[in-house]
Amino acid sequence: MGLTGSGKSSFISKVTGNVEGVGHDLTSCTSEIKVTKCGDMGFGNIVLVDTPGFDDTKKSDLEILEMISNWLKETYGKVLLSGILYFHRITDNRIVGTPLKSLEAFEKLCGEDAVAQVVLVTTMWDELEDDIGVERLEELKSTCWKGMVSRGSEIFKYLNTPQSAEELLERIAGKSSERRHVLLQKEISEWKKELPETEAGQALHSRLEQLAEQRLRALKRLRAEQSKFADARTTNELQQEYADLKAQLDETLKEVHALRFLPRKKGAVTRLRGILKALSQILSHTLLQFNTSASAN
């Protein structure tokens, strides 16, 4: 697992020698779950499962989580995971926004029992100075990844070579005696939870609420700036920013509607709806201001 462009499909191509489906931009090339059998590579038969990232360009986060959930449910009792790989671009300066949402959902999906099966794979080392990469890795160890590492997750520096890919596979094979179900499998298959009630589903809801609050603050700032400036250039720039925020709001509304969440925290749905209502009101008022300014100019 990992964000779009983090090197998941590229890793599999290095293992299999098949370059089909390897992306070279930030458009997702993995829109479905793909299972690849690698055969016996000297340390047992290896099967790799490639999933779209939570920032997929073709599917919403809910659709991705539902896709993963369905696959885990279908294979429950038949497949135990030796290792769970999470790919991260070392070129990313900070883990905020979508990357943070992806990591949080991933951690909740795995759960406490399977966290020791996780290998946090850093990629793109050839795209920056090594000392910068080392510094960023140390920051990851002391911040976002600290909890998972303290509970048994490992870190692997992937160099995008066949040899490095083989070393990573060998690392996974070494965990085969400790195969376990991830938490999401148990929640769906054993405990009969609906997807929105799972830990991963709740994590997505929390991130949606945070994103909505961030956009509300951004729109309030946008309104304040718009009232200060009346020149056409500034108005056009602010109107473009408004359009971007409107698109983000539409996407958030779409996901909230699709998720049909049943959060355990009382009042969470009401709170999120209130934020979204405030966003819509500010958007409408801001658009009116823009139209008035355009007419005056």
Side-chain angles (χ1 to χ4, degrees):
M1 296 183 66
L3 297 179
T4 298
S6 61
K8 304 186 300 295
S9 299
S10 177
F11 162 69
I12 292 177
S13 77
K14 281 291 188 295
V15 173
T16 62
N18 181 10
V19 298
E20 182 181 354
V22 178
H24 299 286
D25 53 32
L26 293 182
T27 300
S28 175
C29 64
T30 305
S31 58
E32 303 291 340
I33 290 180
K34 297 180 180 179
V35 179
T36 303
K37 295 181 179 180
C38 302
D40 191 342
M41 304 187 68
F43 33 77
N45 292 317
I46 298 290
V47 177
L48 299 175
V49 182
D50 189 10
T51 68
F54 282 116
D55 66 333
D56 188 81
T57 54
K58 301 172 184 176
K59 290 181 170 61
S60 70
D61 289 346
L62 169 66
E63 290 173 312
I64 299 302
L65 183 60
E66 192 168 24
M67 188 186 304
I68 295 171
S69 172
N70 288 339
W71 187 86
L72 290 171
K73 185 177 181 180
E74 289 172 7
T75 58
Y76 187 72
K78 305 173 187 176
V79 175
L80 289 172
L81 303 177
S82 297
I84 310 163
L85 307 182
Y86 186 84
F87 287 77
H88 173 75
R89 298 181 294 257
I90 199 66
T91 50
D92 289 351
N93 192 25
R94 298 176 62 196
I95 296 186
V96 294
T98 297
L100 183 59
K101 176 179 68 173
S102 174
L103 181 63
E104 289 173 347
F106 171 77
E107 187 173 356
K108 295 296 185 181
L109 182 155
C110 294
E112 288 297 323
D113 289 345
V115 72
Q117 306 303 110
V118 171
V119 180
L120 300 163
V121 183
T122 55
T123 63
M124 313 296 177
W125 282 88
D126 56 335
E127 296 186 11
L128 81 172
E129 297 294 330
D130 198 60
D131 57 339
I132 297 176
V134 170
E135 183 179 339
R136 290 182 182 174
L137 181 57
E138 290 303 315
E139 183 179 355
L140 287 169
K141 289 179 182 178
S142 63
T143 55
C144 300
W145 291 357
K146 183 177 181 179
M148 296 182 72
V149 171
S150 68
R151 300 197 303 277
S153 296
E154 298 182 32
I155 295 174
F156 185 87
K157 180 179 178 180
Y158 176 60
L159 301 178
N160 197 31
T161 64
Q163 180 182 357
S164 187
E166 187 172 328
E167 289 175 1
L168 180 51
L169 285 181
E170 190 170 3
R171 180 80 64 89
I172 299 170
K175 296 176 175 288
S176 60
S177 62
E178 304 170 1
R179 295 177 183 175
R180 298 177 184 178
H181 291 300
V182 296
L183 177 60
L184 185 59
Q185 281 179 302
K186 295 179 181 179
E187 289 179 306
I188 296 294
S189 300
E190 288 186 22
W191 305 336
K192 308 302 180 184
K193 286 187 177 183
E194 295 295 328
L195 185 57
E197 298 175 298
T198 65
E199 293 290 335
Q202 292 292 318
L204 285 183
H205 177 273
S206 296
R207 288 303 299 164
L208 277 177
E209 187 175 341
Q210 291 171 22
L211 287 172
E213 289 175 339
Q214 290 170 8
R215 287 160 189 168
L216 179 59
R217 289 194 295 269
L219 279 169
K220 287 180 177 178
R221 175 187 56 78
L222 186 62
R223 278 187 61 186
E225 290 182 1
Q226 198 276 336
S227 63
K228 294 178 183 177
F229 304 102
D231 61 282
R233 180 179 177 182
T234 303
T235 298
N236 288 337
E237 290 175 355
L238 291 174
Q239 193 161 11
Q240 180 58 53
E241 188 173 352
Y242 160 83
D244 293 340
L245 283 167
K246 177 66 167 62
Q248 293 171 6
L249 172 61
D250 289 342
E251 186 62 30
T252 302
L253 286 169
K254 178 182 175 182
E255 292 205 26
V256 169
H257 177 72
L259 284 168
R260 298 186 298 278
F261 271 116
L262 303 171
R264 288 168 299 183
K265 295 181 180 179
K266 187 176 181 180
V269 169
T270 302
R271 186 166 58 251
L272 181 54
R273 285 175 178 167
I275 294 170
L276 294 174
K277 182 179 179 181
L279 275 167
S280 297
Q281 290 173 342
I282 293 177
L283 282 168
S284 299
H285 184 74
T286 305
L287 180 59
L288 178 62
Q289 285 184 315
F290 281 137
N291 290 337
T292 302
S293 297
S295 299
N297 292 330

